[in-house]
Structures are given as C-alpha cells and as structure tokens.
Amino acid sequence: MKLPIYLYGSKVLREPAQAADVADREKISALVSDMEETLASADGCGLAAPQVGVPTRVLIVDGRGLEDVYPYLKDFKRVMINPVVVEESKETCDYSEGCLSVPGIYAEVRRPEKIKVEYINADFEPVAEEFDKFACRMVQHELDHLDGKMFVDRVAPIRRKMIAKKLTNISHGKVSAHYKTKHD
Ligand code: NI
C-alpha cells in the first residue's frame, strides 16, 4: 500500500524511532513492502519508516535510479532493520542531499566518507557491511531519520539561512510534490 510521506515540520520526523520487533516478521515485512511501494512511486532513493509516520528503526536505500550519475549503484538496494553504525571514518566528504520530506531543497552536507553498519536484512539475516561513496551517503541520510535528525540540520549556517524561508513554507504546507504528502 502506497503511503503519504510526512513533510518537514512533522513531529514524527523529530522523534527517535524505536527498535523494530524482529519477532514480528509479518508486521515488519508488511511495513517494508509499503515503504518500497511508496519509495518507488515517489521516485526517491531512500526512505525511513518515520517518513511514513511509523516510528520504527527500518530504512530502505535504493540507488538503482541513480545509475546514470553513479554507475556502481546499478544494483544497489538495501533494506535495513535496526541498523547500527559500528565504525565510521575520520575522513569526511561533501555531497548534495535532498529528501522526500523536504521537497525542492538540495544542499551540500559533510559526513564521514565511510561507515560500517550492522543490521538485519529483509530476509531477517544479520549483516555487517561497509559503505563508501554515495552509497554510504544514502545510508547515513536515512540513519539520521531514525534518530529524529534531518539533513537540513547539518547544512552550513550560511546555506541554512538561504533555505530557511523555504523550510518554513514546507512546514506550513506551502509546497508541491508529485507524490502524496502530509503533516502530523
Ligand atoms: Ni530524507
């Protein structure tokens, strides 16, 4: 089932999400399936459960639509349940980020270049995996959502000032997106 995406300004996007109960596989699989459908119909490359109003530690990253820009993402798709960052590099890098909850805003964000994450995959198997380049960035962006953080929080102050008005508009519902959105 396709779900509406909560916009910047919604409370659910600011609350740390709770661990998913992996004993209830049926419930998690249903959530993942709804999130996949929602992400695909919004043409996004990542979605975290709080963005569909569910405060649970589940995220999806899907780079397959970015193949033209980043060919190595051709087959890159991951479902992560209860992900935990166990290592991150001291080296940082900058990438421009956007977010389905913040339509129309893109901004450079600096984050660690590489991370190692432990998580449960969609088949309920434990995985430990390292990420780098834009794949790493996609995962980091979604991980933030599970802690109630958003990429605009990490934007340099001067750029933040430039987008402040747009953010206020989004939080007041003055925004248009090609997918269904809502506020809580
Ligand atoms: Ni996002």
Side-chain angles (χ1 to χ4, degrees), residues 5 7 42 99-104 173-182:
I5 293 176
L7 291 176
C99 181
L100 292 172
S101 295
V102 194
K174 282 187 251 167
V175 66
S176 66
H178 65 277
Y179 43 89
K180 204 163 174 241
T181 57
K182 71 183 280 185

Side-chain angles (χ1 to χ4, degrees), residues 46-48 51 97-102 141-142 145 149-151:
L47 189 68
Q51 290 182 276
E97 296 185 28
C99 181
L100 292 172
S101 295
V102 194
H141 176 111
E142 300 312 326
H145 279 300
K149 296 188 191 125
M150 299 183 77
F151 83 98

Side-chain angles (χ1 to χ4, degrees), residues 18 23 28 42 46 50 90 111 161 168:
Q18 303 297 308
I28 295 175
K90 282 204 192 75
R111 298 182 192 263
K161 241 178 174 170
T168 305

Side-chain angles (χ1 to χ4, degrees), residues 5 35 38-39 45-49 51-52 58-61 100 142:
I5 293 176
M35 286 172 64
T38 303
L39 181 61
C45 65
L47 189 68
Q51 290 182 276
V52 292
V58 174
L59 66 82
I60 299 175
V61 286
L100 292 172
E142 300 312 326

